[in-house]
Amino acid sequence: MEESEEWVPHGGAPYDLITMGRIGVDLYPLQTGVPLPQVTTFGKFLGGSATNVAVAAARLGRRTAVITRTGDDPFGTYLHEALRAFGVDDRWVTRVAGLPTPVTFCEVFPPDDFPLYFYRQPKAPDLEIDAHELDLDAIRATRVFWMTGTGLCEEPSRTATLAALAHRAESGTTVFDLDWRPMFWEDAGSARPFYAEALRHATVAVGNLDEVEIATGERDPHAAARALLDAGVGLAVVKQGPKGVLAVSATGESAQVPPLPVTVLNGLGAGDAFGGSLCHGLLAGWDLERIMRYANAAGAIVASRLECSSAMPTAAEVAEAVTAGAVR
């Protein structure tokens, strides 16, 4: 295949979005406000941040795929089935013998306490992505490529992620989800060099206040956004929780959008819905404020629901929330 050729998946249309990173099974309590020791019923859902972003964009009509790995077990089979049901291409989701598919539990204490418990021992299969197995032509050709900070925490995933970024170079939009999970790293200092290298290849950086501080050393939203731009990206998106979201571009465009009023049930999937909608807006060529309002609305909708992947909203649901100025 010549590099100038446009890579297309089966079906004849190019991918809008390929994500690379975590996948797993979310086991969420079907009882809210109850500590895990007392919970008796759980729901089983597709999970993992990068995977949820692909699902969110697929719900909005985008052609998406995910690069990740599962265990060679029944939970791995479930994840393949769930991806296909959501319309996400699973061709680059491969199995790793000897490692179990990760499981994540949470506790649900609305409106703002949702402890997570990751079961990724002895090692998560999604950290076994190998650079030699990547379809670099597809990664280069996709309109948006999304990768995460977690993918940088261990080898061989770290080398694979950086190889994908380097091969993609300046083609299309490359989003770095800063995705800081302290339990996956020795300390913040060990993460910063790899975050800096990834930022040199990315065109968009997205993170909350904790995540931008890890990446830049700055916690003030405006200072952090400027530091991300100085690190090489063209668009910095800083999520500020109850203060909304700040987005600043290298061209001088900026938007600061407040959150939508919502009764929160489970806030864990809101960031992934935001991410999928951010990609959707970038692909549509919308102005920055419209993208942020749309992504905020999508995140608020998911925060009003228990699950993550299956809670991702349709375009009609997001449009309704944007128009109403709140999640009904």
Side-chain angles (χ1 to χ4, degrees):
M1 177 182 289
E2 298 291 334
E3 276 204 9
S4 59
E5 287 185 300
E6 184 180 57
W7 192 93
V8 294
H10 299 311
Y15 286 109
D16 292 313
L17 170 67
I18 295 176
T19 69
M20 180 175 176
R22 289 202 312 276
I23 194 170
V25 177
D26 288 343
L27 293 175
Y28 285 179
L30 299 181
Q31 301 152 276
T32 62
V34 179
L36 274 182
Q38 282 75 55
V39 173
T40 57
T41 55
F42 294 85
K44 173 167 61 70
F45 307 102
L46 171 73
S49 180
T51 303
N52 283 337
V53 170
V55 171
R59 277 280 173 89
L60 298 173
R62 297 297 179 178
R63 183 180 290 270
T64 73
V66 60
I67 301 168
T68 190
R69 307 196 75 182
T70 73
D72 188 9
D73 53 28
F75 274 152
T77 301
Y78 161 70
L79 294 176
H80 277 276
E81 293 173 350
L83 284 168
R84 293 169 190 156
F86 286 128
V88 177
D89 196 323
D90 66 340
R91 73 182 62 196
W92 297 304
V93 183
T94 57
R95 297 175 186 264
V96 180
L99 292 178
T101 298
V103 174
T104 302
F105 288 87
C106 81
E107 293 177 295
V108 182
F109 298 108
D112 58 4
D113 187 18
F114 308 101
L116 277 172
Y117 303 90
F118 291 97
Y119 289 79
R120 292 167 60 87
Q121 290 81 26
K123 185 180 184 180
D126 55 56
L127 294 175
E128 285 291 310
I129 301 172
D130 192 284
H132 298 96
E133 298 171 353
L134 294 176
D135 189 334
L136 293 174
D137 289 323
I139 290 170
R140 186 174 179 85
T142 186
R143 297 174 67 193
V144 178
F145 179 63
W146 178 286
M147 48 71 63
T148 75
T150 295
L152 300 171
C153 74
E154 284 194 44
E155 295 290 3
S157 172
R158 176 185 299 149
T159 294
T161 302
L162 294 174
L165 290 171
H167 187 81
R168 186 164 170 78
E170 296 299 319
S171 59
T173 299
T174 300
V175 184
F176 181 9
D177 175 7
L178 300 177
D179 184 41
W180 170 247
R181 305 285 177 172
M183 67 285 294
F184 300 158
W185 295 86
E186 281 188 24
D187 52 48
S190 64
R192 286 197 176 103
F194 302 111
Y195 272 54
E197 186 172 351
L199 284 169
R200 286 196 290 271
H201 295 287
T203 62
V204 180
V206 184
N208 61 30
L209 294 176
D210 290 336
E211 292 165 341
V212 298
E213 185 176 17
I214 292 298
T216 69
E218 300 282 358
R219 191 170 183 85
D220 173 79
H222 291 274
R226 175 48 55 192
L228 290 169
L229 295 176
D230 290 343
V233 303
L235 174 63
V237 180
V238 182
K239 295 181 284 188
Q240 306 173 75
K243 293 186 177 179
V245 61
L246 169 69
V248 183
S249 78
T251 61
E253 186 182 6
S254 66
Q256 186 151 1
V257 176
L260 260 67
V262 60
T263 301
V264 175
L265 178 57
N266 183 356
L268 291 176
D272 302 332
F274 182 99
S277 297
L278 168 67
C279 294
H280 178 65
L282 291 170
L283 287 162
W286 294 343
D287 66 74
L288 204 50
E289 182 165 340
R290 181 180 180 186
I291 294 173
M292 293 303 111
R293 290 192 182 280
Y294 194 92
N296 254 3
I301 290 169
V302 173
S304 74
R305 299 171 176 175
L306 174 65
E307 64 273 22
C308 291
S309 54
S310 54
M312 296 301 168
T314 63
E317 289 173 323
V318 181
E320 180 182 354
V322 170
T323 301
V327 178
R328 299 190 187 280

